[in-house]
Amino acid sequence: SICDLVDGADALLHFAALNRAPDADVAAENAAITTSLVDALRNAKSKPRFVVFSNSTHIDRDTVYGASKRETARKLAEVATEIGATFLDVVLPNVFGECGKPFSNSVVHTFCRQLADGETPRVEGNATIQFIHAGEAIDRMFAEIAAGGATRQIRVEGTPIAVPTLLTLLQGQLSRYQAGIFPNVDTRFELEMFNTLRSYLLPGSYPFTLKLNTDNRGALAECIKSGGGGQVFYSSTKPGITRGNHFHFGKIERFVVLEGDATIRIRRLFDGKVHEFPVTGSTPVAVDMPTLHTHNITNTGSTPLITLFWTHEIFDPERPDTYAEPV
């Protein structure tokens, strides 16, 4: 129950809200969520030291949703004072991230879904919107908790970009990617957009075919094309052995089996569906690992498996971005 979760917690971070429904439902549901949280905070034997609210720029608008967010902030601030906690009212711009619901809260998700389906999105107007990746928003909240201090409102700035320019960015990234070239991701924003876009390509675009050129000397295939560098490494895996069972938050990673037979498995976090891709060195293909998807590779043959790996960044043992999670 909510009471059990709140009791003994060091901090309560509140993200839940209804925003796309009839006005009466929005008002009632958000009020009910707030009431349950306030009651849980009051009844907890061990009170949180921080109450953190994921607020929205809609508080500046004259809408039912905006009013509900303002009222939630007011009530959480009130109960935080009552229990002696610090209240952090974090006002976020438009939030996007991997596998976000299209035709809902962020145009990023809508564009990505349409582009992945081969459609041409239509843009009306030239509005500039500030965007922030969900992971960066979480990082900011934890940084504010770590900073301590008094109750306050924090207005988080995102990356401003006009909607037509956003579409052009995503189209350019997809065009290069489909041509077998990893687009440049020189900024965190470009990397986050590309990782979000890639999450919509599984499983329909998988695996990626590599052109195998053969003659009397043997065979040649181009495995990775990237203007951004990165790191290449390989592994030898004995029959029946599985490698991986981990996921990444930001790392772009590619697998190419050069010799032997294997099955690559990919599962989105918090989702039970596993995508399986049988691969073989005799017909090499590329399988890229979407961020926030756990993955592994198993040698299903009778001979050693030789696999080529590439990541867009050089491995940093202080920041490995590798988290164990079984597929």
Side-chain angles (χ1 to χ4, degrees), residues 93-311:
N94 191 277
V95 179
F96 71 95
E98 291 86 330
C99 300
K101 184 179 179 180
F103 307 102
S104 184
N105 295 336
S106 180
V107 68
V108 174
H109 306 143
T110 301
F111 284 168
C112 288
R113 179 72 274 160
Q114 291 177 312
L115 291 172
D117 291 342
E119 301 174 9
T120 301
R122 187 179 66 178
V123 177
E124 296 181 359
N126 192 35
T128 294
I129 300 174
Q130 289 195 21
F131 294 95
I132 188 170
H133 186 268
E136 187 173 352
I138 296 294
D139 288 345
R140 180 63 185 272
M141 289 183 175
F142 279 110
E144 294 291 344
I145 292 173
T151 290
R152 59 194 180 274
Q153 184 184 83
I154 304 105
R155 287 196 173 241
V156 178
E157 292 189 1
T159 299
I161 185 170
V163 174
T165 305
L166 168 67
L167 177 57
T168 299
L169 169 64
L170 291 169
Q171 287 174 322
Q173 289 183 334
L174 181 62
S175 177
R176 287 180 64 83
Y177 193 42
Q178 289 178 330
I181 304 170
F182 283 93
N184 293 336
V185 286
D186 299 326
T187 67
R188 178 172 179 171
F189 183 70
E190 290 173 327
L191 174 62
E192 291 165 342
M193 278 292 170
F194 182 51
N195 281 336
T196 299
L197 174 63
R198 291 195 303 128
S199 72
Y200 291 84
L201 300 176
L202 179 74
S205 297
Y206 278 59
F208 301 98
T209 302
L210 300 177
K211 182 181 179 182
L212 188 64
N213 300 289
T214 60
D215 58 23
N216 59 351
R217 298 169 296 175
L220 179 149
E222 296 179 335
C223 297
I224 302 111
K225 294 181 181 180
S226 170
Q231 179 175 341
V232 176
F233 53 102
Y234 86 96
S235 71
S236 174
T237 305
K238 296 178 180 180
I241 298 298
T242 297
R243 291 181 179 270
N245 282 321
H246 60 236
F247 69 93
H248 312 292
F249 279 108
K251 191 190 301 291
I252 304 172
E253 186 176 43
R254 167 164 287 190
F255 289 14
V256 180
V257 168
L258 303 179
E259 289 186 12
D261 300 300
T263 295
I264 295 172
R265 296 179 177 87
I266 303 174
R267 178 179 63 81
R268 175 184 166 187
L269 297 182
F270 311 111
D271 191 326
K273 184 174 179 58
V274 176
H275 302 283
E276 295 192 355
F277 302 99
V279 292
T280 178
S282 60
T283 311
V285 295
V287 180
D288 295 344
M289 303 304 136
T291 44
L292 300 184
H293 287 66
T294 185
H295 48 271
N296 64 28
I297 180 169
T298 301
N299 184 343
T300 56
S302 58
T303 60
L305 174 71
I306 306 299
T307 309
L308 178 76
F309 303 92
W310 172 82
T311 61

Side-chain angles (χ1 to χ4, degrees), residues 26-41:
V26 168
E29 181 65 19
N30 291 341
I33 294 171
T34 302
T35 298
S36 65
L37 284 177
V38 169
D39 289 344
L41 287 166

